[in-house]
Amino acid sequence: MITIFAEKPDVARKIAAAIGPIVLSDGTKVYYDALAKYDKRIKAEFMKQGYIPIKWEGKDACVTWGVGHLCGLCEAVDYDPDYKNWNNIDLPFIPNPYRIKVIGHTSSQFNIVKKLFNSSDLIINATDWDREGELIFAYVYEAAKCKKPFKRVYYASQNDEAFKEAFSKLVDAKDVKDIENAGRSRSIADWLVGVNLTVAATLSGGT
């Protein structure tokens, strides 16, 4: 099985219809140009289960999604419960190693994605083609403790032809590692500044 991971549900529906099509419970085949017509039925049938099953190049595939970020860096209190009281934090606080966690309100969708990832022969990362998109996928892949191979798809536009063309020439995971690393570095830098300066400023102000 192949799992395709999109950043958001609406993009997942577009991808599934473009390379699928989407097959409804009554057998209706929904292609990209009919998405608007069948959107309510697609949502009713597939949103709760968290993925859309399709056939892609003759193989079983599932198109699933995040809701933006499903995972993020742990907070200071996740490293030590005593840090709930900011006075107990020895600044600057620099975790080693940095840990990630599932964002609470996204846990149900994360569990669906995790199961799909670890049941797959191949995963295709179909998030946005930038540092943030790479980071969203990388954190989910890591939190899922997944070891399955994955590739990257780059679509220049979100339309039928662009999706079809993009999925005909997947990119190797190693070729986007630098973008992922840039995303991780940016995330850590924001975390370090945000946590340490917030705690320092709050404590120095006596609030």
Side-chain angles (χ1 to χ4, degrees):
M1 185 187 76
I2 298 168
T3 294
I4 300 163
F5 179 75
E7 196 162 314
K8 297 177 181 178
D10 64 314
V11 181
R13 294 194 294 274
K14 291 176 184 177
I15 291 172
I19 69 171
I22 299 171
V23 181
L24 299 176
S25 57
D26 64 357
T28 300
K29 294 181 179 180
V30 182
Y31 294 89
Y32 188 91
D33 59 1
L35 268 177
K37 178 180 178 181
Y38 290 99
D39 194 49
K40 288 184 179 179
R41 287 181 60 186
I42 293 169
K43 289 178 180 177
E45 291 194 23
F46 300 111
M47 290 302 293
K48 188 174 182 180
Q49 73 179 23
Y51 65 91
I52 302 172
I54 62 169
K55 286 282 188 180
W56 177 60
E57 296 188 338
K59 300 174 183 176
D60 290 331
C62 289
V63 186
T64 189
W65 53 83
V67 284
H69 288 269
L70 294 180
C71 305
L73 291 173
C74 287
E75 300 174 45
V77 70
D78 296 316
Y79 292 93
D80 188 333
D82 288 343
Y83 289 169
K84 187 173 183 179
N85 182 339
W86 285 0
N87 287 290
N88 294 329
I89 302 177
D90 186 17
L91 298 178
F93 176 54
I94 303 175
N96 185 23
Y98 290 89
R99 303 203 306 257
I100 61 172
K101 67 176 181 178
V102 178
I103 298 171
H105 69 277
T106 73
S107 60
S108 59
Q109 182 62 19
F110 170 80
N111 288 332
I112 292 168
V113 174
K114 177 181 178 180
K115 184 176 181 179
L116 290 172
F117 274 17
N118 288 300
S119 300
S120 297
D121 302 306
L122 174 69
I123 301 164
I124 299 174
N125 176 13
T127 58
D128 290 348
W129 182 270
D130 55 19
R131 291 182 304 186
E132 196 72 5
E134 293 300 332
L135 186 67
I136 286 171
F137 175 80
Y139 278 176
V140 172
Y141 186 86
E142 181 180 336
K145 295 182 169 64
C146 189
K147 303 297 182 184
K148 299 301 178 71
F150 68 89
K151 291 192 174 185
R152 201 15 161 136
V153 63
Y154 169 57
Y155 42 90
S157 303
Q158 292 186 18
N159 59 54
D160 192 26
E161 290 185 4
F163 284 129
K164 283 185 170 67
E165 181 181 0
F167 275 86
S168 71
K169 47 183 182 182
L170 300 176
V171 178
D172 286 338
K174 61 181 177 59
D175 293 334
V176 295
K177 189 64 177 177
D178 287 346
I179 305 174
E180 176 195 323
N181 289 339
R184 286 180 180 271
S185 297
R186 172 64 182 272
S187 178
I188 288 171
D190 288 347
W191 190 95
L192 284 171
V193 172
V195 169
N196 286 288
L197 287 186
T198 298
V199 172
T202 300
L203 294 179
S204 65
T207 57

